[in-house]
Amino acid sequence: MLTTLLVGEDFAEAQQKTANYDESKIVPYTLPALLKSSDGRDVSTAEEWVKARRPEVLALFEQHVYGRTPDPKAWGRVEFKVTQVKKDALGGRATRKLIHISLPEHPSWQGMEVMLYTPNGRSGPAPCFVGPSFGGNHAVSTEADVPLSTRWMRPSKEKHIVDNRATEASRGNESSRWPLEMILDQGFAVATYYYGDIEPDHADGWKDGLRAVLSPQGAATEWKDGQWGAIGAWAWGLSRIADYLETDADVDAKHLAVIGHSRLGKTSLWAGAQDVRFGVVISNNSGEGGAAIMRRNFGETTAVITKAFPHWFTRTYAGYANNEAACPIDKHMLIALAAPRPIYIASAVEDEWADPKGEFLSGLNAQPVYDLFGKKGLGVKDQPGIDQPVGDAVGYHVRTGKHDVTSYDWEQYLKFVARHFGR
Ligand code: GTR
């Protein structure tokens, strides 16, 4: 498929000039019905949802949005090697482990480096946040002995990426988004990996990543409708971390919360939809292609995202550019795939590109499925004011400030997860 990428100034123009930021210019739309199965039957019990409708909705997201994750037979055995254990990390408050996850049947994939912090001095295994990073383990942590990632990175002066590689000066550049001390001090563990370990984040990145390795045609693959995109591959990595955590006695693998920001928030939502081992799902500013209702012409649109980042999705998705009404899903259905598990959706008021209201509305419109389980979702009908978190099984806030993950966001996540995990 020939596409002209939307990059640089054209992308900035789409953000600043051509995007709609006026609520009165939203074109009226109808959301696809959540509780009607493909053969027209009404879904009225939790059992019907779990057995019949949920698998249908999941398959719709595979076919139309993110693509199908290959069958486990395609990747075979998963190997874990603990390569480093530091018992007095972060001033003694935590144990830091590095784990290399690889596929022995596919040695051409370099594998992924997982960094796990578990709190010291606890009485039992710790519940754990699991999330990918944009910059690598050395960017999440400020500890100078975390190995620098050697993988391809997106160019960034600010993050001191030189020739697409991290440098010593890149250390800690993502640490404000991962307040490790705060998380550990509340008894939670954190497991993370660099998303580029799976696939470099650019349109041809898959050729050097897991998707090519697992495809019989390798770098000559022509991606078809319904086959997985990068978000699917990054989400796959999160599930492999869950596989490892199930083997680690320091972690309570029955209490995992999956978390991600922005494109990695889309990833976290898709990981949570597919893998019910994630007991809580958290979407931080995931926006278009994530929690935001795609039928709302506000901020980023299907047309823009599929032109700028075609590799994130299955090929089918681009066909809904300026044609959203034809898409059999919208994002309230993605939120509903988490049910009855708790899910938290966070927006930022200055992050209009991600359509905060559209993110809220998908949480609101997932309620019929939470109702089937007798669960209260958001508990409000209108988007709450700034810095006023709401919700029970579906949490939501819109905070002051920009597109980012802040300690305010983490404070809400920690409360939410502690409440639902009974801590
Ligand atoms: C933007 C993109 C968003 C969001 C963001 C990010 O450029 O338009 O959908 O994913 O990147 O991941 O930071």
Side-chain angles (χ1 to χ4, degrees), residues 20-28 296-298 357:
N20 172 48
Y21 295 112
D22 181 347
E23 200 58 41
S24 72
K25 293 199 177 124
I26 297 284
V27 179
R296 275 170 56 85
N297 55 314
F298 192 102
K357 185 162 180 194

Side-chain angles (χ1 to χ4, degrees), residues 11 15 134 154 177 201 261-264 266 285-289 300 304-305 308-309 312 353-354 403:
F11 185 68
Q15 273 183 307
F134 284 90
R154 281 150 46 85
R177 289 180 172 174
D201 187 6
H261 168 61
S262 204
R263 65 198 66 186
L264 299 179
K266 311 180 209 299
N285 306 179
S286 64
E288 189 67 42
E300 191 170 24
V304 169
I305 203 168
F309 310 103
W312 288 356
W353 184 239
H403 188 67

Side-chain angles (χ1 to χ4, degrees), residues 189-310:
V190 179
T192 181
Y193 85 101
Y194 172 51
Y195 78 139
D197 286 358
I198 301 268
E199 170 165 336
D201 187 6
H202 61 88
D204 286 328
W206 62 270
K207 294 182 181 166
D208 296 316
L210 181 81
R211 282 198 291 149
V213 168
L214 295 187
S215 168
Q217 294 84 34
T221 305
E222 283 192 28
W223 295 104
K224 299 198 173 61
D225 289 354
Q227 291 182 322
W228 63 341
I231 288 176
W234 298 326
W236 177 92
L238 294 170
S239 287
R240 301 295 72 76
I241 297 182
D243 295 347
Y244 165 75
L245 295 175
E246 286 181 328
T247 70
D248 190 315
D250 291 331
V251 171
D252 173 3
K254 295 253 173 304
H255 290 103
L256 304 179
V258 65
I259 181 165
H261 168 61
S262 204
R263 65 198 66 186
L264 299 179
K266 311 180 209 299
T267 303
S268 147
L269 285 167
W270 183 228
Q274 296 177 92
D275 192 338
V276 295
R277 290 176 298 176
F278 296 117
V280 172
V281 181
I282 302 170
S283 146
N284 193 92
N285 306 179
S286 64
E288 189 67 42
I293 295 287
M294 71 186 285
R295 282 166 172 72
R296 275 170 56 85
N297 55 314
F298 192 102
E300 191 170 24
T301 58
T302 314
V304 169
I305 203 168
T306 54
K307 262 203 134 187
F309 310 103

